[in-house]
Amino acid sequence: MKATLNFLAGLGLLAAGVGIYTFRRMRKNSRQMLNQVADEGYETAMDILYPQKQMADCKLHYGPVLPA
């Protein structure tokens, strides 16, 4: 019983470690993408730099934006 419990605890720790690694990796990639967009300047939009990535609920607007 104790060996099974130790095995399950080790398996749980391994799964948690993989989950944390994956989450941090995704966050790092997102941060790198946003930093690249910021370095390009405000004229370059996300859809120009990353055309393969779909932006959810993004209203595409060409031209100047006037405040409401």
Side-chain angles (χ1 to χ4, degrees), residues 14-50:
L14 179 66
V18 169
I20 290 171
Y21 172 78
T22 303
F23 177 73
R24 286 184 177 179
R25 184 73 178 160
M26 287 185 338
R27 203 168 67 184
K28 180 181 176 186
N29 289 343
S30 177
R31 193 176 315 122
Q32 284 177 346
M33 184 171 60
L34 292 175
N35 284 339
Q36 182 183 359
V37 170
D39 288 342
E40 291 289 332
Y42 67 92
E43 302 93 4
T44 307
M46 289 282 289
D47 58 337
I48 295 171
L49 288 175
Y50 301 100

Side-chain angles (χ1 to χ4, degrees), residues 3-23:
T4 305
L5 187 60
N6 285 340
F7 176 73
L8 290 176
L11 194 61
L13 287 174
L14 179 66
V18 169
I20 290 171
Y21 172 78
T22 303
F23 177 73

